[in-house]
Amino acid sequence: MESMLQVFNTWSHKAETMANNIWHNLRTGPSVSGAAWGKMNVTAKAISGGGFESLYKQTFATYSNENLKKSFACYLSTSTGPVAGTLYLSNIHVAFCSDRPLSFTAPSGQETWSYYKVMIPLSKVGIVNPVIMRENPSEKYIQMVTVDGHDFWYMGFVNYEKASKHLSESVSSFVATGVAVQPQPQPPSVA
């Protein structure tokens, strides 16, 4: 009986942790309902289109020998605030695509819509730096710096530990050329 109780407590703790992580993911953006609808739409597209690997290959130009290893719901920090999306990790690239198209003003002055996409070859990633804020341990970021100095901050992961582990392991399997950029200790401010 005691071992059953211990198993139940373990499952209960895991379920509570997962629920808290999902809630943190949804409230990271400016709209909880918008984030939830975005996640539902992406998941529906993935299910109807043959899974996240098919969605990844439809969204990005990939190599024939490229295979998706993992995908993570998260946010990319931008100068205008966090952008909800999916971080894809393949055997060749790490890529991000927003859940919904974002509006911007084209050079013609007309408003237009486009998905926010970033694709980086793993061989060009210099550093993967997991950051947990001391003042607020629920604020967890993954900083990714390319060998040419471009800085990307990801946050609001449903499973931060798993994302951090897989990204770090994948990048360490590549030998990045050039001099690695030193990580900056503070993440960008979140609006």
Side-chain angles (χ1 to χ4, degrees):
M1 184 67 153
E2 186 156 327
S3 90
M4 284 179 51
L5 186 57
Q6 186 178 9
V7 168
F8 178 75
N9 284 338
T10 301
W11 286 347
S12 175
H13 177 70
K14 286 181 180 181
E16 184 178 350
T17 300
M18 181 62 78
N20 285 334
N21 289 343
I22 290 170
W23 176 242
H24 180 71
N25 173 275
L26 293 175
R27 67 184 169 93
T28 298
S31 164
V32 171
S33 61
W37 277 112
K39 297 296 174 211
M40 286 178 37
N41 288 337
V42 167
T43 303
K45 265 202 296 192
I47 290 169
S48 65
F52 278 96
E53 178 145 11
S54 294
L55 183 58
Y56 170 67
K57 290 186 175 192
Q58 292 167 16
T59 305
F60 296 97
T62 62
Y63 295 102
S64 59
N65 64 339
E66 188 166 358
N67 297 309
L68 184 66
K69 294 164 74 174
K70 294 285 180 185
S71 61
F72 305 99
C74 68
Y75 291 79
L76 174 62
S77 178
T78 69
S79 59
T80 59
V83 175
T86 303
L87 185 65
Y88 297 95
L89 177 61
S90 79
N91 58 323
I92 299 174
H93 293 100
V94 62
F96 176 87
C97 183
S98 61
D99 288 344
R100 303 183 293 178
L102 305 175
S103 69
F104 65 95
T105 304
S108 66
Q110 183 178 357
E111 182 182 40
T112 189
W113 295 80
S114 179
Y115 285 93
Y116 195 106
K117 296 181 187 180
V118 175
M119 187 174 206
I120 308 164
L122 287 174
S123 62
K124 299 294 182 191
V125 177
I127 293 174
V128 173
N129 182 31
V131 177
I132 298 175
M133 301 305 291
R134 284 187 205 138
E135 309 83 42
N136 186 358
S138 68
E139 284 187 43
K140 300 175 182 178
Y141 301 87
I142 297 177
Q143 178 194 27
M144 193 174 298
V145 183
T146 62
V147 294
D148 57 355
H150 294 281
D151 201 19
F152 299 92
W153 288 86
Y154 301 96
M155 62 186 148
F157 288 92
V158 172
N159 192 328
Y160 173 82
E161 288 75 17
K162 188 179 281 187
S164 178
K165 174 185 178 282
H166 286 284
L167 287 166
S168 295
E169 286 175 358
S170 292
V171 169
S172 69
S173 70
F174 279 81
V175 177
T177 58
V179 178
V181 178
Q182 292 301 313
Q184 296 171 351
Q186 292 297 316
S189 60
V190 177

